[in-house]
Amino acid sequence: MIEVHDLNKTFKKVVKEKGLAGSFKSLFNPQTVDFEAVKNLTFNVPKGQVFGFIGANGAGKSTTIKMLTGILTPTSGKCTINGFNPQKDRKKYVQEIGVVFGQRTQLWWDLPLQETYSVLKEVYQVPDKEFRTRMGFLNEILDLNDFINDPVRTLSLGQRMRADIAASLLHRPKVLFLDEPTIGLDVSVKDKIRKAITAINQEEKTTILLTTHDLKDIELLCQRIYLIDHGEKIFDGSIEELKKQYGKIHEVVFKLENKNDSSILDYQKKFSNIDTAVAEDTIHVYFDATKVPLPNIIKYTLDRVPIVDVAVKDPDVEDIVRRFIRREIGNDSEKV
Ligand SMILES: Nc1ncnc2c1ncn2[C@@H]1O[C@H](COP(=O)(O)OP(=O)(O)O)[C@@H](O)[C@H]1O
Ligand SMILES: [Mg+2]
């Protein structure tokens, strides 16, 4: 349904020299550097899959979605969605897809919500009868009735997000792009939105590409997880595979008596396959228990510095994804 091949996006970024003189210089003679926001992404999403497109802030998720929805043109590479080229077949293509950017709305700010839907009905040329059944269904899964006559600007964030999702679904799109649809929402609204996403996916076999920072969203909704970091793929698989591949990474936390002692400990030098994160007087040590036995790490530590407390943690998938997102795994140069 979604075919992406070697997709790249490079932005020109202006480099500014320091100070006021520098500002003037870059104003009149801007120096730019190429910035690769998306690098060689290749993936296929089959019909009906909920595809979790996951990564830290700035990883390139929204840029990719903008290319897949025809808002941005790729620097190189190809994307085809249900046989359409988003840039070339733009007019026909918009009938095929629904898009929600959690950070902004596609609703008319001053119109009562119902009016927005009436306008969209005309835009997408939905026949009267179909429109009525569709609105009934969307009301049912997203609970719009309480505020459907209110102007959009008076809606709460949670109401607005539900209204936006309904708007993206009015024309029965085959593919739905949801860019952070649960951002900033409270638990009960998140729950409602998750149920609506599940209903749409199950009842209409809608293919869904979802980005989120919410680990519950990932666990409850995503049938497949595609992790990107700095524009590149770092993992592609199911949550079970993610657990298998990284579930063996355990964590032990030492609380030191003297915080300056952390410099004495050099786990990387002593062991391979180990990651550490130091915060004040605590050291988090991440390791693969099948490669480095826990007692060795504890002994190494106790032999060198006085310890106040030791805690061993078994990571669940939430920890794993969180650590992935914080780039603690797979990238030695950046540690928390
Ligand atoms: N129009 C643009 N011009 C220059 N840089 C951009 C532009 N849009 C995004 N970027 C940069 O590309 C990177 C990826 O951004 P984005 O795709 O929004 O990340 P994400 O959605 O994963 O948080 C960021 O470093 C961002 O600053
Ligand atoms: Mg984004």
Side-chain angles (χ1 to χ4, degrees), residues 61-62 179-180:
K61 303 178 298 291
S62 297
D179 193 355
E180 315 231 14

Short mmCIF file of all heavy atoms in Angstrom, two decimals, residues 61-62 179-180, ligand 2:
data_model
loop_
_atom_site.label_atom_id
_atom_site.label_comp_id
_atom_site.label_asym_id
_atom_site.label_seq_id
_atom_site.Cartn_x
_atom_site.Cartn_y
_atom_site.Cartn_z
N LYS A 61 10.63 12.35 11.19
CA LYS A 61 9.31 11.72 11.00
C LYS A 61 8.35 12.62 10.21
O LYS A 61 7.78 12.20 9.21
CB LYS A 61 8.68 11.39 12.37
CG LYS A 61 9.55 10.51 13.24
CD LYS A 61 8.91 10.25 14.59
CE LYS A 61 8.68 11.50 15.44
NZ LYS A 61 9.90 12.16 15.95
N SER A 62 8.18 13.85 10.68
CA SER A 62 7.24 14.74 10.00
C SER A 62 7.68 15.04 8.57
O SER A 62 6.85 15.11 7.66
CB SER A 62 7.08 16.05 10.77
OG SER A 62 6.54 15.79 12.05
N ASP A 179 0.25 12.16 12.57
CA ASP A 179 1.52 12.64 13.10
C ASP A 179 1.29 13.17 14.52
O ASP A 179 0.79 14.28 14.69
CB ASP A 179 2.09 13.72 12.18
CG ASP A 179 3.55 14.05 12.49
OD1 ASP A 179 4.08 13.51 13.48
OD2 ASP A 179 4.14 14.84 11.75
N GLU A 180 1.63 12.38 15.50
CA GLU A 180 1.45 12.72 16.92
C GLU A 180 0.01 13.09 17.27
O GLU A 180 -0.26 14.17 17.80
CB GLU A 180 2.39 13.86 17.33
CG GLU A 180 3.80 13.65 16.79
CD GLU A 180 4.89 13.77 17.84
OE1 GLU A 180 4.55 13.75 19.03
OE2 GLU A 180 6.05 13.85 17.45
MG MG B 2 7.33 15.83 13.94
#
